[in-house]
Amino acid sequence: MEALERFFLIRERGSSIGTELRAGLVTFLTMAYILLVNPQILSEAGMPVSDVTVATALGAAFGTLLMGVYANFPFALAPGMGLNAYFTYGVVKGLGVDWRFALTAVFVEGLLFIVLSYGGIRTLILRAIPAPIKLATTTGIGLFLALIGLRNAGLVVDSPATLVQLGVLHAPVPLLALVGLVIIGVLSSRKVKGALLIGIATVAVAAWVTGLAKAPEAWVSVPSLPRETFWAFDFSQVLTGKFLTVMLAFLFVDVFDTAGTLLGVGRVGGFLKPNGELPGAGRGFMADAVGTVAGAAFGTSTVTCYIESAAGVEEGGRTGLTAVVVSVLFLLSLFFVPTLAAIPPVATAPVLVVVGALMMGGARELEWSRMDEALPGFLTIALMPFTYSIANGISAGIVSFAALKLLSGRPREAHPVVYVLAVLLALHYATGGGA
């Protein structure tokens, strides 16, 4: 016990081993839904659910362990919501490529992220991207996730006349999804830990009992490495423009998602300096980057820091021991892969809607009274769900921000790097590119 106290600086940070253990459990309960949701999303890209479930647990366990032991932060990692949606709907389905192509892009992006984590390049990029685009990216991803969840719930369906329309609400699947949404909403408003998991479990059991989904044939199994997704890379198109576009889109979202989470949760835990800097942030970025590489090797989309880590920090977690506890719990979940793989999409759909709602907060910080700030932010938000692409939204935001600042006579309000990115993106789309 004394060794743990010294290694993680537990007393120095005003915590205790008991508090750290409890904080780790709380964090796991608030984010364990990813073990159910991520395989459902990636399965639509053609990836086997069982393999992705194992890869999700291993990627989360590895990245979180590194965050705890190497960076000594109480932050947990797992395949990112939004990034997995871009993987499936933006890359595999949107571009019509094989999932191995997308998995390779994640792997290369992780390697590049490692390089950026060493020097000042990462800092330069973070300072260059306009604040409205950073805020809008989170909001746009939230709407994108909500749209996917509403579609999986049968609450929003396609229409040849109006593009989309309301689904048949009295049908079994939409009704069950609405019940799940109410359960999660009520439990979350009452601050019940694990509200997302309770909602998923309730809807899943109801779907199995009513015959809307097939119950698992076995509840537990002996863990094994993924068979089809492990090291399933395709490097044949690495030098193509399409690959570069996809890889950079993954990198962009990963960098800013990680930065936002580290700073946001770090502020909750009191880790930030008065000037807003996070001591040891470089180690946190490195843990995130290596976690992405490991996750891709196992067979899952980008591994990144989770904002749900704030739940454990609010519970008192202040050191890497909290993250180590989360890592161990993710490893234990490997024994329940058959159960997790049998969870139907209707059970996870309400979670996507709720997570989308939680990601709306950034919109209120946009300068809506200034059109040169509001329009780029709005385009970033709107084009993500409307074009089913995170990259399209980010690209529209950067290009419009640069154009408005330049033509409004405020060129110095945009970093030179933004103008370079805007020109490159404009040329990409003008020549028929897209994401």
Side-chain angles (χ1 to χ4, degrees):
M1 290 297 182
E2 189 63 32
L4 288 176
E5 295 271 5
R6 291 196 303 269
F7 183 85
F8 291 107
L9 307 176
I10 295 176
R11 289 198 190 98
E12 183 178 320
R13 295 190 181 180
S15 185
S16 66
I17 291 179
T19 299
E20 297 293 308
L21 295 177
R22 186 175 63 254
L25 176 61
V26 169
T27 297
F28 177 77
L29 288 175
T30 59
M31 63 180 289
Y33 66 86
I34 192 62
L35 291 167
L36 313 177
V37 179
N38 193 53
Q40 292 290 348
I41 292 177
L42 296 189
S43 68
E44 295 194 39
M47 302 178 72
V49 172
S50 295
D51 272 19
V52 177
T53 303
V54 174
T56 300
L58 290 176
F62 185 87
T64 304
L65 181 64
L66 197 60
M67 182 66 76
V69 175
Y70 177 66
N72 198 19
F73 282 137
F75 308 148
L77 291 78
M81 295 293 289
L83 285 161
N84 51 13
Y86 174 60
F87 183 104
T88 295
Y89 305 105
V91 180
V92 176
K93 290 192 171 184
L95 300 180
V97 298
D98 187 78
W99 58 264
R100 294 168 185 81
F101 172 98
L103 202 62
T104 307
V106 173
F107 180 73
V108 175
E109 173 260 309
L111 294 176
L112 185 55
F113 196 0
I114 290 175
V115 174
L116 294 178
S117 297
Y118 270 115
I121 301 177
R122 182 197 70 240
T123 303
L124 176 64
I125 295 175
L126 288 176
R127 291 176 178 173
I129 300 301
I133 309 304
K134 295 178 183 177
L135 293 169
T137 295
T138 301
T139 304
I141 292 174
L143 284 178
F144 189 13
L145 290 176
L147 178 60
I148 295 170
L150 292 170
R151 188 204 67 175
N152 290 347
L155 295 170
V156 171
V157 297
D158 64 331
S159 167
T162 60
L163 193 62
V164 293
Q165 64 182 13
L166 187 66
V168 181
L169 297 184
H170 60 267
V173 170
L175 276 176
L176 195 54
L178 286 173
V179 170
L181 194 59
V182 170
I183 290 173
I184 293 175
V186 171
L187 294 179
S188 297
S189 68
R190 291 177 173 271
K191 309 296 182 183
V192 175
K193 303 300 182 184
L196 299 180
L197 275 180
I198 294 173
I200 290 175
T202 302
V203 176
V205 171
W208 293 336
V209 171
T210 58
L212 290 177
K214 185 178 180 181
E217 297 180 359
W219 297 97
V220 297
S221 65
V222 178
S224 62
L225 284 176
R227 297 179 180 179
E228 295 183 44
T229 63
F230 182 72
W231 204 261
F233 298 128
D234 176 14
F235 295 102
S236 63
Q237 300 185 61
V238 168
L239 300 179
T240 64
K242 180 185 292 186
F243 182 89
L244 182 62
T245 300
V246 171
M247 185 273 293
L248 290 177
F250 276 129
L251 178 64
F252 180 90
V253 179
D254 192 12
V255 168
F256 292 108
D257 188 60
T258 301
T261 302
L262 287 176
L263 294 175
V265 181
R267 185 176 292 109
V268 174
F271 296 119
L272 301 189
K273 291 182 177 180
N275 62 1
E277 292 184 2
L278 176 65
R283 287 176 174 248
F285 272 103
M286 181 59 70
D288 188 286
V290 176
T292 291
V293 172
F298 291 126
T300 186
S301 53
T302 308
V303 172
T304 188
C305 287
Y306 260 54
I307 195 67
E308 285 87 351
S309 301
V313 172
E314 291 178 350
E315 193 70 24
R318 293 294 182 272
T319 77
L321 181 56
T322 293
V324 172
V325 172
V326 177
S327 176
V328 171
L329 291 173
F330 268 116
L331 289 176
L332 290 176
S333 70
L334 288 170
F335 290 92
F336 300 93
V337 169
T339 303
L340 298 174
I343 302 294
V346 65
T348 55
V351 172
L352 295 177
V353 177
V354 171
V355 172
L358 294 174
M359 297 175 76
M360 292 292 102
R364 68 173 176 267
E365 299 181 39
L366 287 169
E367 293 284 345
W368 293 107
S369 60
R370 290 186 55 181
M371 190 53 62
D372 57 340
E373 302 272 329
L375 185 57
F378 175 75
L379 290 174
T380 302
I381 293 170
L383 288 184
M384 287 186 188
F386 290 162
T387 67
Y388 240 58
S389 168
I390 294 172
N392 286 343
I394 294 172
S395 299
I398 291 176
V399 172
S400 60
F401 186 88
L404 287 174
K405 290 298 182 183
L406 185 63
L407 299 175
S408 299
R410 304 186 184 93
R412 293 186 178 180
E413 292 186 11
H415 195 283
V417 172
V418 173
Y419 292 111
V420 174
L421 288 174
V423 171
L424 293 175
L425 288 169
L427 289 173
H428 171 69
Y429 283 88
T431 55

